[in-house]
Amino acid sequence: MSTPTRVRDTATEQQTPPGPGDGHVPHLAVAIVGNGFSGLGTAIRLRQAGEDNFLIFERHDDVGGTWRDNSYPGCACDVPSHLYSFSFAPNPDWSRSFSGQPEIHAYLQRVSAEYDIDRFTRHRHEVLDATWDDATQQWTVTTSQGVWTGDALVLGSGALSDPSFPDVPGLDSFEGPVFHSATWRHDLDLTGRKVAVIGTGASAIQFVPEIAPVVGELKVFQRTPPWIMPRQDRAITGVEKLLFRWFPPAQRAVREAIYWARETFVFGFRDPKRMAKAAKIAEAHMRRQVSDPELREKITPSYSMGCKRILLSNDYLPALDRDNVEVITEKIVEIRPHAVVTADGTEHEVDTIIAGTGFAIGDLPISHRIHGRDGRTLADHWAGSPYAHNGTMIAGFPNAFTLLGPNTGLGHNSVVFMIESQINLVLDTIRHMRGHGVGAVEPTRAAQDAFVAEMQQKTEGTVWVDGGCSSWYLDKHGQNSALWPTFTMPFRRRLRRFRPEEYVLTPVAATRR
């Protein structure tokens, strides 16, 4: 990222972050929601730019976001470690080419401490409401522990923050333990238990191999099989770590090489014929790891590779081939106190249910708590099809930025790259506002509509829409509201600076002068 521009009005340094007290509503330059990669990265860049009148509101008691919450056995990243980290905070001590959850969580904790962000974080502060006031040109942010006002609002809660449970009749009647992979029951010993796993997505393929050897029976309820590629993982040697620590350009070179190699994956997503060649690798991978032909037929996808998220694993397929594991493809129609019932009438006796069913991406809970200029919520405006200009700002919601918002998800590269690009825009927008006496800024409807139309146009003909599957990439109206559908460098370029011609700029109100 480029060298940050100072965004403070004065050079006076505030030693203690503001907080509520004595009935006074404290005011912030920037209010940040969530302290995962997005919130933490924003806070660090604000501090580097000289701004310290901000707070992060985090509903839990630790930094990390999804890498704090998802602590299930086997949880790991499917983007190489050297790329899945902040460009301004490299970690020369990654233990493997693909890092596990504990290591990524520890990295975020360390970065937060090293950049002194912990004192700017208010833990156990769940944001209950954020409302824009046109008269004061401020956001009023209400948390579970207080009220603040802020000139700008940064939503860094992300899309993978609220688990989605399967909508199955009778789930509440089940008498055994029921939990989601994102809220793993570490206190529950699964040894010998009869476990049902609902879902075969990115989380399930990681924890299934971990629990299969210890449970008595494991029934994996599969709706749609994933395409699974070999995981090219290895331990990073001590020599490599020393080199990265004492000669940082070497690690930067590795990071660049990984980045550009993954950029080439776009060619496959944009051309289903190219992706068919990659599917041959996945099919060979399955033949090597699954001996039962009947099982192979069950878990072979019928849609084009890339239509749904491509998964990486070396141990999931062998786990399905175990004697105590059964893959069930019949639809679940009901859950009873001690069983899962499928459409063929079979009652599958189980004593534990684990949901590996992903997150509430199409209808983010935080969107119901953000009220714009007209008083309506962000969810009301989106109506099931999220949108944002450049994936970051939304007409009708001045001075608000959503990081990893609509059309910023990736199927091929690191979302941390996207986050850092958006943070560039946040800082440059604030700098422009302060330098030009602007009190409120939001995208023009024309610019926003043009961006949304561009995203749909770039999605046409790709495997995401023509691959023969349904996925979270497309919203309930069939629109691509999740993915950035091309190379990531153009995203970085278009967000490198604030472009006034794309926005409605309102001068600072007289009441604020």
Side-chain angles (χ1 to χ4, degrees):
M1 294 175 66
S2 58
T3 302
T5 306
R6 291 185 65 84
V7 295
R8 288 181 59 81
D9 285 324
T10 71
T12 302
E13 292 299 324
Q14 181 172 320
Q15 297 300 316
T16 304
D22 301 326
H24 172 68
V25 178
H27 182 71
L28 305 168
V30 183
I32 303 171
V33 181
N35 70 345
F37 267 102
S38 295
L40 180 58
T42 302
I44 291 171
R45 291 302 308 280
L46 284 170
R47 291 220 67 202
Q48 289 176 331
E51 177 62 76
D52 60 6
N53 184 23
F54 68 88
L55 285 176
I56 301 174
F57 298 109
E58 170 55 51
R59 64 183 177 182
H60 295 296
D61 57 7
D62 194 8
V63 68
T66 190
W67 294 106
R68 171 202 58 230
D69 299 340
N70 288 264
S71 60
Y72 58 80
C75 182
C77 189
D78 57 7
V79 174
S81 309
H82 294 302
L83 187 57
Y84 199 81
S85 50
F86 291 121
S87 63
F88 52 79
N91 177 22
D93 296 317
W94 292 120
S95 65
R96 304 195 64 82
S97 49
F98 290 89
S99 298
Q101 176 269 338
E103 201 166 1
I104 298 174
H105 185 206
Y107 165 78
L108 292 171
Q109 290 174 315
R110 177 177 62 78
V111 169
S112 181
E114 287 183 355
Y115 284 88
D116 196 25
I117 302 302
D118 294 344
R119 70 186 178 95
F120 293 88
T121 304
R122 296 296 177 263
H123 294 297
R124 296 291 177 184
H125 277 258
E126 181 175 6
V127 172
L128 305 176
D129 180 87
T131 298
W132 171 257
D133 186 335
D134 244 352
T136 62
Q137 295 178 327
Q138 293 174 352
W139 286 93
T140 298
V141 179
T142 303
T143 80
S144 53
Q145 298 196 46
V147 179
W148 283 259
T149 58
D151 296 328
L153 176 69
V154 176
L155 301 176
S157 49
L160 306 183
S161 55
D162 293 276
S164 176
F165 270 89
D167 184 16
V168 181
L171 183 61
D172 292 340
S173 72
F174 189 74
E175 295 184 358
V178 180
F179 59 94
H180 194 280
S181 59
T183 55
W184 194 267
R185 285 280 306 274
H186 291 282
D187 62 321
L188 180 65
D189 184 2
L190 295 177
T191 302
R193 300 186 74 93
K194 297 180 178 180
V195 179
V197 170
I198 301 177
T200 54
S203 299
I205 75 156
Q206 293 183 339
F207 72 74
V208 163
E210 298 291 324
I211 68 173
V214 300
V215 301
E217 297 178 16
L218 181 58
K219 297 180 183 295
V220 178
F221 291 87
Q222 171 189 278
R223 183 176 61 179
T224 308
W227 281 102
I228 299 175
M229 293 285 278
R231 188 178 183 86
Q232 304 297 335
D233 191 22
R234 67 171 181 85
I236 296 174
T237 67
V239 172
E240 289 173 299
K241 294 177 186 178
L242 283 173
L243 175 63
F244 297 150
R245 188 177 299 114
W246 295 107
F247 188 63
Q251 188 174 22
R252 288 197 295 271
V254 170
R255 179 186 176 95
E256 285 290 314
I258 295 171
Y259 168 79
W260 288 110
R262 294 185 75 90
E263 279 290 87
T264 65
F265 294 179
V266 169
F267 293 113
F269 289 110
R270 298 192 62 81
D271 182 356
K273 292 181 180 178
R274 286 176 181 260
M275 193 61 81
K277 297 179 180 179
K280 298 297 183 182
I281 299 174
E283 291 169 352
H285 183 51
M286 181 186 296
R287 286 194 299 271
R288 287 192 300 269
Q289 295 200 311
V290 178
S291 60
D292 182 355
E294 184 177 341
L295 175 59
R296 283 203 301 267
E297 184 177 353
K298 276 186 178 182
I299 61 177
T300 297
S302 59
Y303 56 89
S304 298
M305 188 175 187
C307 183
K308 297 173 73 73
R309 182 175 174 181
I310 300 171
L311 306 180
L312 307 179
S313 179
N314 295 331
D315 52 11
Y316 175 70
L317 296 173
L320 300 184
D321 211 10
R322 293 177 57 91
D323 291 339
N324 67 329
V325 177
E326 181 183 3
V327 176
I328 300 165
T329 58
E330 289 285 338
K331 180 182 178 181
I332 297 174
V333 295
E334 181 187 2
I335 293 178
R336 296 174 183 167
H338 301 283
V340 175
V341 183
T342 49
D344 60 357
T346 303
E347 187 174 284
H348 304 272
E349 182 183 351
V350 296
D351 56 32
T352 305
I353 296 176
I354 305 174
T357 45
F359 298 85
I361 293 176
D363 185 25
L364 299 176
I366 191 68
S367 68
H368 294 267
R369 304 179 183 189
I370 311 300
H371 295 79
R373 174 182 291 109
D374 62 3
R376 297 166 62 216
T377 67
L378 190 53
D380 290 335
H381 278 260
W382 282 346
S385 286
Y387 56 82
H389 182 48
N390 289 328
T392 309
M393 297 188 73
I394 304 158
F397 293 80
N399 303 3
F401 306 86
T402 175
L403 303 192
L404 285 189
N407 293 116
T408 58
L410 296 176
H412 69 287
N413 218 320
S414 172
V415 293
V416 181
F417 182 90
M418 305 293 278
I419 292 169
E420 291 195 37
S421 301
Q422 291 182 284
I423 294 172
N424 276 340
L425 181 61
V426 172
L427 266 65
D428 204 44
T429 301
I430 294 174
R431 180 202 60 77
H432 184 91
M433 292 174 67
R434 290 178 173 176
H436 294 79
V438 175
V441 59
E442 62 186 290
T444 66
R445 296 283 179 178
Q448 181 173 273
D449 291 346
F451 176 81
V452 173
E454 179 187 354
M455 293 300 97
Q456 302 316 310
Q457 186 274 323
K458 288 185 180 297
T459 307
E460 291 177 6
T462 66
V463 71
W464 297 307
V465 294
D466 291 341
C469 77
S470 61
S471 75
W472 61 265
Y473 295 152
L474 306 180
D475 60 39
K476 67 179 184 180
H477 301 299
Q479 298 293 303
N480 168 26
S481 58
L483 287 176
W484 174 256
T486 185
F487 303 100
T488 61
M489 190 53 71
F491 185 81
R492 172 65 57 91
R493 286 197 296 267
R494 72 165 68 196
L495 272 69
R496 191 177 299 278
R497 66 177 179 85
F498 176 73
R499 304 174 190 273
E501 65 273 14
E502 299 177 2
Y503 296 86
V504 177
L505 306 177
T506 305
V508 173
T511 55
R512 292 182 55 193
R513 294 172 186 157

